[in-house]
Amino acid sequence: MDSPGLSTGSGTRPRPHLAALAVTAAALTALLALTPAAPATATTHPATARTTAPPSPTAPHTGVVTGARTPARTAGRERAVRTFLAGRRAVSGPAWTHHPRLPGGRPAASAPRQGQVTHNWWGVFPQPGTHDGIMATHTVDPSYTVTDADNVTYAPTTKAQNSCMEVVTAYTSTGNEIWAWDWCGTVGPAKTVPLDDAFLKNYTPGNGGPAAYSVQMVRDDAAANRWSAYLYNYRTAAWDLLFRQSGADRSGLDHGWDMFEIYASVNPATNEGYYCTEARHTVFDSSAVRLRSNGAWKPAGPSDSPWTETDPDPEAFLCPPLKFVQAGADDHWTVRQ
């Protein structure tokens, strides 16, 4: 029952001294257990302990997102939107699951030229016919500052199969926002929410852990393909409506996604993507990814939400220190340095 309510450098789509005697054997063992084996491989970790449990998918759906607004048409945001849309239109079908590796660790001959934009992504792709709703908990970092207008980090970003919206954590040179991207109407951001103090107060737990918000997208009406996107309000313990839309999904893809995504160009000062330096201390994490099918919610798993690839190449993301962590059985991932 339905719920209430631009060279693509990597290819194509579908990040004090210690006294020796003070370190115990147990601490060393724990440290080694948390260290990824190699930066060029998606590592498999046990899911890390959460300080706050993910919200119930069936909590009341009563409010409206505080601070959500129809975005102004600023030059900076419009540029980010054009970059996003051009990258999405450049790929389709099998292209979204293929990431050619750059031979020889990105030698000069095959490196993206200065000014070219590399588009790449990694995460899980919920498959057609497996769900009519998706939810996840996504970290945010309001301190991450993007300096170059051609560089955009959309991470995490999520969409259900054939849904009318994608909910995006958007880091752009004009500021950091949550976007509800309209895939059935204007094909652009229909609602935006700034990552400000009010957002953090209402939509993150505020328990001293990493700031993270929970998003839910559900189909309300199958015949009209009407979808609603919600953010969980931790102050009211209810889901607040962010955006609702119906119609035909114009994304050109029949699967969903929950993933890390970059549009990046090379900083000539570092020979790496700008974001590789600017987001050095940012952790991009998506946890508690769940799918709804036949009215029931369950964690995303290997059978319904395969990884886009199991061995991502950080060189292809213009950030050699980047690590890709499979923190759960397809329901939790982390990208960090």
Side-chain angles (χ1 to χ4, degrees), residues 165-168 178-182 188-193 229 242-243:
M165 71 283 295
E166 176 178 359
V167 176
V168 185
I178 304 300
W179 287 2
W181 181 281
D182 182 359
K191 294 291 182 181
T192 60
V193 187
L242 174 62
F243 180 58

Side-chain angles (χ1 to χ4, degrees), residues 37-272:
T41 302
T43 60
T44 302
H45 285 195
T48 56
R50 298 188 186 94
T51 54
T52 300
S56 168
T58 59
H61 293 65
T62 56
V64 176
V65 171
T66 303
R69 58 201 180 199
T70 301
R73 296 180 64 88
T74 64
R77 185 184 286 113
E78 289 297 303
R79 187 167 183 174
V81 167
R82 287 194 300 271
T83 299
F84 182 95
L85 193 55
R88 298 301 179 86
R89 285 174 172 168
V91 294
S92 62
W96 286 75
T97 58
H98 179 55
H99 295 251
R101 302 179 74 85
L102 298 177
R106 191 159 55 85
S110 60
R113 295 189 301 274
Q114 184 176 345
Q116 290 183 324
V117 175
T118 288
H119 177 205
N120 215 337
W121 59 91
W122 180 77
V124 294
F125 279 2
Q127 293 300 290
T130 62
H131 63 287
D132 64 358
I134 190 170
M135 63 181 287
T137 297
H138 292 166
T139 55
V140 293
D141 181 3
S143 69
Y144 171 22
T145 301
V146 175
T147 59
D148 185 87
D150 287 327
N151 287 255
V152 184
T153 304
Y154 293 115
T157 182
T158 194
K159 182 184 182 299
Q161 64 152 39
N162 296 330
S163 65
C164 278
M165 71 283 295
E166 176 178 359
V167 176
V168 185
T169 312
Y171 298 97
T172 76
S173 62
T174 61
N176 303 333
E177 300 174 313
I178 304 300
W179 287 2
W181 181 281
D182 182 359
W183 277 116
C184 291
T186 59
V187 187
K191 294 291 182 181
T192 60
V193 187
L195 296 184
D196 55 15
D197 289 342
F199 175 86
L200 297 176
K201 176 182 177 181
N202 289 308
Y203 298 105
T204 68
N207 56 11
Y213 70 97
S214 292
V215 57
Q216 183 187 81
M217 273 173 279
V218 288
R219 190 177 66 191
D220 303 311
D221 184 323
N225 196 42
R226 188 182 72 184
W227 289 77
S228 299
Y230 300 91
L231 302 184
Y232 187 74
N233 189 322
Y234 284 88
R235 307 287 77 78
T236 64
W239 292 97
D240 287 353
L241 180 67
L242 174 62
F243 180 58
R244 178 173 287 142
Q245 181 63 288
S246 61
D249 175 15
R250 297 164 62 187
S251 69
L253 298 162
D254 62 357
H255 58 73
W257 54 83
D258 187 88
M259 65 184 186
F260 169 82
E261 181 178 17
I262 59 151
Y263 295 79
S265 61
V266 173
N267 181 348
T270 63
N271 202 33
E272 297 173 351

